[in-house]
Amino acid sequence: MSWFLFLWPPVAFLLVLVGGSLYAARFEKKAGESVSETISGRVQAWFPILLALALCVVGASLVIMGALYGWTDLSLASRHWQRDTALGICIGALIACLYFTVLSPALTWAQARLGDYVPPGSVLETLEGQLPYFFIANILLAPLVEELWFRGALYSALSPLGPGLSILLTSIAFGLFHWPGGAWYMLLTGGLLGSVLGWLRLEQAGLLAPYAAHLTLNIIEFYVLARRNRKAKRTTFLKYSKESLK
């Protein structure tokens, strides 16, 4: 069971991406366009949609397994919900500030200088172009599904190993689920975010605090990307208007 909980999310994401690639190659190929160009272009454009589908697959798996095995402890309920919510919001906001001021530039630098299997900054650029689907995936689905899976079901399954090893392994699994973002992004999400969320799960003895932190981080990320996208569109519009007046 533990191995399935550990490996299924990244495998599910891979299967969804493969399915999207096969669909693009079969139905979206244009004349004069190679199969690889079709797959690369469509999958990149569809990435937020495929992310939402992968999260739905993982979420559905969680519901099915919960029904089969009688899981009753996967809940955001908390006796101290005000404290847990406030703590999660504060930590999520702190991580978001750290991410956009230090970690995101460091991530881009590492991808450009040290290499990666995705182009530097390509993930955020893709997400900026599909904000409605990104909202569904990153705010409505990701915090809930990922916390219930990683800090909920997987953490509970690994709890006999002790809290330290449980946090370590859930952080690794959490990072692996973000493999489409690149090797350095996996290290960032697993090593930093996964560890902090795992610590919250341990210290607060529940899922509400890590969920609140995760949701806060993703809301701030969406806001920053939406604002950046609107600013880019405004700049493009002004540039086009000036050229039209010449």
Side-chain angles (χ1 to χ4, degrees), residues 136-156:
I136 294 172
N138 209 46
I139 295 179
L140 299 183
L141 293 174
L144 181 62
V145 172
E146 291 176 5
E147 293 313 308
L148 289 177
W149 187 281
F150 295 106
R151 258 66 60 180
L154 180 58
Y155 185 93
S156 297

PDB file of all heavy atoms in Angstrom, residues 136-156:
ATOM      1  N   ILE A 136      -8.283  26.503 -11.606  1.00  0.00           N
ATOM      2  CA  ILE A 136      -8.955  25.257 -11.215  1.00  0.00           C
ATOM      3  C   ILE A 136      -7.948  24.256 -10.654  1.00  0.00           C
ATOM      4  O   ILE A 136      -8.164  23.653  -9.596  1.00  0.00           O
ATOM      5  CB  ILE A 136      -9.696  24.647 -12.419  1.00  0.00           C
ATOM      6  CG1 ILE A 136     -10.841  25.572 -12.852  1.00  0.00           C
ATOM      7  CG2 ILE A 136     -10.230  23.254 -12.081  1.00  0.00           C
ATOM      8  CD1 ILE A 136     -11.517  25.153 -14.141  1.00  0.00           C
ATOM      9  N   ALA A 137      -6.816  24.111 -11.366  1.00  0.00           N
ATOM     10  CA  ALA A 137      -5.830  23.111 -10.958  1.00  0.00           C
ATOM     11  C   ALA A 137      -5.094  23.515  -9.690  1.00  0.00           C
ATOM     12  O   ALA A 137      -4.938  22.704  -8.761  1.00  0.00           O
ATOM     13  CB  ALA A 137      -4.823  22.883 -12.090  1.00  0.00           C
ATOM     14  N   ASN A 138      -4.650  24.756  -9.629  1.00  0.00           N
ATOM     15  CA  ASN A 138      -3.721  25.165  -8.581  1.00  0.00           C
ATOM     16  C   ASN A 138      -4.388  25.633  -7.295  1.00  0.00           C
ATOM     17  O   ASN A 138      -3.755  25.611  -6.238  1.00  0.00           O
ATOM     18  CB  ASN A 138      -2.814  26.281  -9.105  1.00  0.00           C
ATOM     19  CG  ASN A 138      -1.454  26.284  -8.441  1.00  0.00           C
ATOM     20  OD1 ASN A 138      -0.834  25.241  -8.297  1.00  0.00           O
ATOM     21  ND2 ASN A 138      -0.990  27.458  -8.030  1.00  0.00           N
ATOM     22  N   ILE A 139      -5.642  26.075  -7.381  1.00  0.00           N
ATOM     23  CA  ILE A 139      -6.313  26.586  -6.189  1.00  0.00           C
ATOM     24  C   ILE A 139      -7.438  25.661  -5.739  1.00  0.00           C
ATOM     25  O   ILE A 139      -7.535  25.316  -4.557  1.00  0.00           O
ATOM     26  CB  ILE A 139      -6.839  28.016  -6.433  1.00  0.00           C
ATOM     27  CG1 ILE A 139      -5.651  28.958  -6.647  1.00  0.00           C
ATOM     28  CG2 ILE A 139      -7.709  28.490  -5.273  1.00  0.00           C
ATOM     29  CD1 ILE A 139      -6.030  30.391  -6.911  1.00  0.00           C
ATOM     30  N   LEU A 140      -8.291  25.245  -6.661  1.00  0.00           N
ATOM     31  CA  LEU A 140      -9.421  24.410  -6.267  1.00  0.00           C
ATOM     32  C   LEU A 140      -9.027  22.965  -6.005  1.00  0.00           C
ATOM     33  O   LEU A 140      -9.589  22.312  -5.107  1.00  0.00           O
ATOM     34  CB  LEU A 140     -10.502  24.460  -7.352  1.00  0.00           C
ATOM     35  CG  LEU A 140     -11.112  25.833  -7.651  1.00  0.00           C
ATOM     36  CD1 LEU A 140     -12.225  25.702  -8.689  1.00  0.00           C
ATOM     37  CD2 LEU A 140     -11.639  26.491  -6.384  1.00  0.00           C
ATOM     38  N   LEU A 141      -8.059  22.449  -6.781  1.00  0.00           N
ATOM     39  CA  LEU A 141      -7.736  21.019  -6.697  1.00  0.00           C
ATOM     40  C   LEU A 141      -6.451  20.711  -5.937  1.00  0.00           C
ATOM     41  O   LEU A 141      -6.448  19.882  -5.028  1.00  0.00           O
ATOM     42  CB  LEU A 141      -7.654  20.424  -8.104  1.00  0.00           C
ATOM     43  CG  LEU A 141      -8.952  20.361  -8.908  1.00  0.00           C
ATOM     44  CD1 LEU A 141      -8.672  19.873 -10.326  1.00  0.00           C
ATOM     45  CD2 LEU A 141      -9.944  19.442  -8.225  1.00  0.00           C
ATOM     46  N   ALA A 142      -5.352  21.342  -6.315  1.00  0.00           N
ATOM     47  CA  ALA A 142      -4.036  20.935  -5.818  1.00  0.00           C
ATOM     48  C   ALA A 142      -3.907  20.944  -4.295  1.00  0.00           C
ATOM     49  O   ALA A 142      -3.481  19.930  -3.719  1.00  0.00           O
ATOM     50  CB  ALA A 142      -2.943  21.799  -6.458  1.00  0.00           C
ATOM     51  N   PRO A 143      -4.245  22.032  -3.607  1.00  0.00           N
ATOM     52  CA  PRO A 143      -4.044  22.001  -2.146  1.00  0.00           C
ATOM     53  C   PRO A 143      -4.829  20.887  -1.462  1.00  0.00           C
ATOM     54  O   PRO A 143      -4.291  20.191  -0.585  1.00  0.00           O
ATOM     55  CB  PRO A 143      -4.532  23.393  -1.703  1.00  0.00           C
ATOM     56  CG  PRO A 143      -4.392  24.251  -2.917  1.00  0.00           C
ATOM     57  CD  PRO A 143      -4.707  23.350  -4.066  1.00  0.00           C
ATOM     58  N   LEU A 144      -6.078  20.699  -1.866  1.00  0.00           N
ATOM     59  CA  LEU A 144      -6.913  19.686  -1.222  1.00  0.00           C
ATOM     60  C   LEU A 144      -6.442  18.278  -1.558  1.00  0.00           C
ATOM     61  O   LEU A 144      -6.213  17.449  -0.663  1.00  0.00           O
ATOM     62  CB  LEU A 144      -8.371  19.871  -1.646  1.00  0.00           C
ATOM     63  CG  LEU A 144      -9.371  18.876  -1.025  1.00  0.00           C
ATOM     64  CD1 LEU A 144      -9.395  19.026   0.489  1.00  0.00           C
ATOM     65  CD2 LEU A 144     -10.760  19.083  -1.624  1.00  0.00           C
ATOM     66  N   VAL A 145      -6.299  17.983  -2.857  1.00  0.00           N
ATOM     67  CA  VAL A 145      -5.930  16.632  -3.279  1.00  0.00           C
ATOM     68  C   VAL A 145      -4.540  16.258  -2.775  1.00  0.00           C
ATOM     69  O   VAL A 145      -4.325  15.164  -2.234  1.00  0.00           O
ATOM     70  CB  VAL A 145      -6.001  16.509  -4.816  1.00  0.00           C
ATOM     71  CG1 VAL A 145      -5.432  15.164  -5.276  1.00  0.00           C
ATOM     72  CG2 VAL A 145      -7.433  16.672  -5.298  1.00  0.00           C
ATOM     73  N   GLU A 146      -3.589  17.167  -2.927  1.00  0.00           N
ATOM     74  CA  GLU A 146      -2.215  16.843  -2.552  1.00  0.00           C
ATOM     75  C   GLU A 146      -2.054  16.694  -1.046  1.00  0.00           C
ATOM     76  O   GLU A 146      -1.309  15.821  -0.580  1.00  0.00           O
ATOM     77  CB  GLU A 146      -1.264  17.911  -3.098  1.00  0.00           C
ATOM     78  CG  GLU A 146      -1.160  17.877  -4.612  1.00  0.00           C
ATOM     79  CD  GLU A 146      -0.299  19.001  -5.175  1.00  0.00           C
ATOM     80  OE1 GLU A 146       0.296  19.756  -4.367  1.00  0.00           O
ATOM     81  OE2 GLU A 146      -0.224  19.136  -6.411  1.00  0.00           O
ATOM     82  N   GLU A 147      -2.728  17.525  -0.270  1.00  0.00           N
ATOM     83  CA  GLU A 147      -2.606  17.390   1.183  1.00  0.00           C
ATOM     84  C   GLU A 147      -3.288  16.117   1.684  1.00  0.00           C
ATOM     85  O   GLU A 147      -2.761  15.420   2.554  1.00  0.00           O
ATOM     86  CB  GLU A 147      -3.175  18.624   1.891  1.00  0.00           C
ATOM     87  CG  GLU A 147      -2.372  19.890   1.653  1.00  0.00           C
ATOM     88  CD  GLU A 147      -0.889  19.680   1.835  1.00  0.00           C
ATOM     89  OE1 GLU A 147      -0.477  19.150   2.891  1.00  0.00           O
ATOM     90  OE2 GLU A 147      -0.118  20.023   0.921  1.00  0.00           O
ATOM     91  N   LEU A 148      -4.460  15.809   1.149  1.00  0.00           N
ATOM     92  CA  LEU A 148      -5.132  14.575   1.558  1.00  0.00           C
ATOM     93  C   LEU A 148      -4.312  13.348   1.172  1.00  0.00           C
ATOM     94  O   LEU A 148      -4.298  12.351   1.901  1.00  0.00           O
ATOM     95  CB  LEU A 148      -6.523  14.496   0.931  1.00  0.00           C
ATOM     96  CG  LEU A 148      -7.575  15.470   1.469  1.00  0.00           C
ATOM     97  CD1 LEU A 148      -8.878  15.320   0.696  1.00  0.00           C
ATOM     98  CD2 LEU A 148      -7.821  15.253   2.958  1.00  0.00           C
ATOM     99  N   TRP A 149      -3.614  13.425   0.033  1.00  0.00           N
ATOM    100  CA  TRP A 149      -2.841  12.265  -0.415  1.00  0.00           C
ATOM    101  C   TRP A 149      -1.506  12.162   0.327  1.00  0.00           C
ATOM    102  O   TRP A 149      -1.213  11.151   0.964  1.00  0.00           O
ATOM    103  CB  TRP A 149      -2.589  12.335  -1.920  1.00  0.00           C
ATOM    104  CG  TRP A 149      -1.949  11.085  -2.459  1.00  0.00           C
ATOM    105  CD1 TRP A 149      -0.624  10.726  -2.379  1.00  0.00           C
ATOM    106  CD2 TRP A 149      -2.598   9.998  -3.110  1.00  0.00           C
ATOM    107  NE1 TRP A 149      -0.401   9.509  -2.955  1.00  0.00           N
ATOM    108  CE2 TRP A 149      -1.610   9.036  -3.422  1.00  0.00           C
ATOM    109  CE3 TRP A 149      -3.919   9.754  -3.484  1.00  0.00           C
ATOM    110  CZ2 TRP A 149      -1.900   7.850  -4.077  1.00  0.00           C
ATOM    111  CZ3 TRP A 149      -4.206   8.563  -4.140  1.00  0.00           C
ATOM    112  CH2 TRP A 149      -3.213   7.630  -4.438  1.00  0.00           C
ATOM    113  N   PHE A 150      -0.693  13.226   0.244  1.00  0.00           N
ATOM    114  CA  PHE A 150       0.675  13.142   0.761  1.00  0.00           C
ATOM    115  C   PHE A 150       0.746  13.279   2.286  1.00  0.00           C
ATOM    116  O   PHE A 150       1.360  12.455   2.966  1.00  0.00           O
ATOM    117  CB  PHE A 150       1.551  14.206   0.084  1.00  0.00           C
ATOM    118  CG  PHE A 150       1.719  13.987  -1.378  1.00  0.00           C
ATOM    119  CD1 PHE A 150       1.066  14.780  -2.302  1.00  0.00           C
ATOM    120  CD2 PHE A 150       2.522  12.956  -1.854  1.00  0.00           C
ATOM    121  CE1 PHE A 150       1.210  14.571  -3.662  1.00  0.00           C
ATOM    122  CE2 PHE A 150       2.677  12.727  -3.209  1.00  0.00           C
ATOM    123  CZ  PHE A 150       2.012  13.537  -4.126  1.00  0.00           C
ATOM    124  N   ARG A 151       0.166  14.354   2.829  1.00  0.00           N
ATOM    125  CA  ARG A 151       0.211  14.541   4.277  1.00  0.00           C
ATOM    126  C   ARG A 151      -0.906  13.775   4.990  1.00  0.00           C
ATOM    127  O   ARG A 151      -0.920  13.682   6.218  1.00  0.00           O
ATOM    128  CB  ARG A 151       0.118  16.019   4.626  1.00  0.00           C
ATOM    129  CG  ARG A 151       1.434  16.662   4.981  1.00  0.00           C
ATOM    130  CD  ARG A 151       2.421  16.738   3.840  1.00  0.00           C
ATOM    131  NE  ARG A 151       1.914  17.505   2.719  1.00  0.00           N
ATOM    132  CZ  ARG A 151       2.575  17.724   1.583  1.00  0.00           C
ATOM    133  NH1 ARG A 151       3.778  17.180   1.408  1.00  0.00           N
ATOM    134  NH2 ARG A 151       2.051  18.438   0.609  1.00  0.00           N
ATOM    135  N   GLY A 152      -1.838  13.204   4.207  1.00  0.00           N
ATOM    136  CA  GLY A 152      -2.914  12.416   4.787  1.00  0.00           C
ATOM    137  C   GLY A 152      -2.662  10.928   4.661  1.00  0.00           C
ATOM    138  O   GLY A 152      -2.132  10.293   5.572  1.00  0.00           O
ATOM    139  N   ALA A 153      -3.043  10.355   3.513  1.00  0.00           N
ATOM    140  CA  ALA A 153      -2.970   8.901   3.339  1.00  0.00           C
ATOM    141  C   ALA A 153      -1.541   8.377   3.403  1.00  0.00           C
ATOM    142  O   ALA A 153      -1.253   7.393   4.099  1.00  0.00           O
ATOM    143  CB  ALA A 153      -3.618   8.517   2.005  1.00  0.00           C
ATOM    144  N   LEU A 154      -0.620   8.998   2.664  1.00  0.00           N
ATOM    145  CA  LEU A 154       0.753   8.501   2.634  1.00  0.00           C
ATOM    146  C   LEU A 154       1.439   8.677   3.980  1.00  0.00           C
ATOM    147  O   LEU A 154       2.133   7.774   4.454  1.00  0.00           O
ATOM    148  CB  LEU A 154       1.544   9.216   1.531  1.00  0.00           C
ATOM    149  CG  LEU A 154       3.006   8.788   1.380  1.00  0.00           C
ATOM    150  CD1 LEU A 154       3.119   7.293   1.104  1.00  0.00           C
ATOM    151  CD2 LEU A 154       3.690   9.591   0.271  1.00  0.00           C
ATOM    152  N   TYR A 155       1.265   9.827   4.610  1.00  0.00           N
ATOM    153  CA  TYR A 155       1.877  10.066   5.920  1.00  0.00           C
ATOM    154  C   TYR A 155       1.382   9.043   6.943  1.00  0.00           C
ATOM    155  O   TYR A 155       2.168   8.516   7.735  1.00  0.00           O
ATOM    156  CB  TYR A 155       1.567  11.487   6.379  1.00  0.00           C
ATOM    157  CG  TYR A 155       2.244  11.886   7.671  1.00  0.00           C
ATOM    158  CD1 TYR A 155       3.481  12.535   7.640  1.00  0.00           C
ATOM    159  CD2 TYR A 155       1.673  11.623   8.910  1.00  0.00           C
ATOM    160  CE1 TYR A 155       4.114  12.901   8.816  1.00  0.00           C
ATOM    161  CE2 TYR A 155       2.294  11.977  10.090  1.00  0.00           C
ATOM    162  CZ  TYR A 155       3.514  12.618  10.042  1.00  0.00           C
ATOM    163  OH  TYR A 155       4.143  12.979  11.208  1.00  0.00           O
ATOM    164  N   SER A 156       0.089   8.767   6.925  1.00  0.00           N
ATOM    165  CA  SER A 156      -0.468   7.785   7.858  1.00  0.00           C
ATOM    166  C   SER A 156       0.085   6.393   7.596  1.00  0.00           C
ATOM    167  O   SER A 156       0.380   5.643   8.533  1.00  0.00           O
ATOM    168  CB  SER A 156      -1.993   7.769   7.748  1.00  0.00           C
ATOM    169  OG  SER A 156      -2.542   9.018   8.132  1.00  0.00           O
TER     170      SER A 156
END
